[in-house]
């Protein structure tokens, strides 16, 4: 059985031609957006990943992913990602910014949808976070991404951010902080 490739779309719904699998994260909110996630980066340039439970019926069981989930009721993506951070990791982080929109897949019978990814900075101890869902949290360097079992869209988001971060550090790209 062929697995559908996760593709990203920009906010207007067109595929990102850069091959990164990630679209830009503007302010438009299409009705078919079904999830949120947060890419947390520390000052060392590491990414906080969440090892998901390996149980049937959830998206990407047993993989490393980002903290996040679906909006409840009439929650905005900002409200949903803030709630998911509190519920899953006990974190309240101001200043999260929309970063990318990705197409995610789900378990058999669950339709794919768009995931609004936010970007934030946190320098805490991953081992000290409460674990209310999943198995654990860990910081990883981007160089480790290809060695981990990950949601495809998560790996694409981390790679994209790392490339942009490295270009910024080398003076080749000016990104907002």
């Amino acid at each position: 059985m062929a697995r559908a490739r996760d593709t990203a779309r920009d906010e207007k719904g067109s595929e990102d031609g850069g091959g990164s699998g990630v679209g830009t994260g503007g302010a438009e909110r299409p009705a078919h957006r079904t999830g949120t996630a947060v890419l947390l980066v520390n000052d060392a340039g590491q990414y906080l990943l969440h090892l998901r439970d390996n149980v049937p019926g959830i998206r990407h069981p047993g993989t490393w992913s980002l903290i996040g989930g679906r909006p409840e009721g009439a929650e905005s993506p900002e409200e949903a990602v803030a709630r998911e951070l509190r519920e899953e990791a006990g974190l309240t982080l101001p200043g999260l910014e929309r970063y990318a929109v990705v197409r995610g897949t789900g378990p058999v019978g669950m339709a794919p949808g768009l995931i609004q990814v936010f970007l934030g900075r946190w320098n805490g101890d991953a081992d000290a976070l409460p674990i209310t869902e999943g198995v654990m949290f860990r910081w990883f360097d981007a160089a480790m991404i290809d060695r981990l079992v990950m949601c495809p869209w998560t790996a694409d988001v981390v790679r994209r951010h790392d490339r942009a971060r490295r270009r910024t550090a080398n003076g080749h790209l000016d990104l907002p902080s």
Side-chain angles (χ1 to χ4, degrees):
M1 181 166 137
R3 185 173 75 97
R5 186 178 144 252
D6 286 349
T7 53
R9 300 191 178 270
D10 64 19
E11 290 291 336
K12 295 178 176 57
S14 62
E15 283 192 28
D16 175 17
S20 67
V22 182
T24 58
E28 186 179 330
R29 284 197 243 167
H32 55 284
R33 186 155 305 146
T34 58
T36 63
V38 62
L39 180 65
L40 293 179
V41 185
N42 66 19
D43 288 343
Q46 296 173 313
Y47 298 91
L48 184 69
L49 298 180
H50 181 218
L51 182 57
R52 297 176 57 77
D53 288 311
N54 192 15
V55 296
I58 66 170
R59 292 179 187 262
H60 304 285
T63 63
W64 290 97
S65 190
L66 303 178
I67 298 168
R70 292 174 175 256
E72 294 178 356
E75 278 183 325
S76 69
E78 288 79 5
E79 293 165 332
V81 79
R83 177 184 48 75
E84 291 289 346
L85 267 171
R86 281 190 313 274
E87 290 177 0
E88 294 182 18
L91 293 174
T92 301
L93 299 176
L96 297 177
E97 296 181 9
R98 287 180 181 230
Y99 178 66
V101 175
V102 297
R103 181 166 301 280
T105 58
V108 174
M110 185 178 278
L114 296 180
I115 301 166
Q116 174 66 63
V117 179
F118 291 83
L119 179 62
R121 183 162 301 279
W122 184 66
N123 286 297
D125 179 1
D127 290 331
L129 292 174
I131 301 169
T132 61
E133 292 182 23
V135 178
M136 68 177 71
F137 297 99
R138 286 289 180 271
W139 289 108
F140 289 99
D141 293 319
M144 289 294 296
I145 298 306
D146 291 333
R147 298 177 65 187
L148 301 174
V149 177
M150 297 183 73
C151 306
W153 65 263
T154 301
D156 287 345
V157 167
V158 171
R159 285 185 196 107
R160 173 188 176 197
H161 183 270
D162 185 60
R163 280 191 307 269
R165 184 184 63 78
R166 285 185 284 123
R167 285 194 311 259
T168 300
N170 293 329
H172 299 295
L173 181 65
D174 186 19
L175 295 178
S177 53

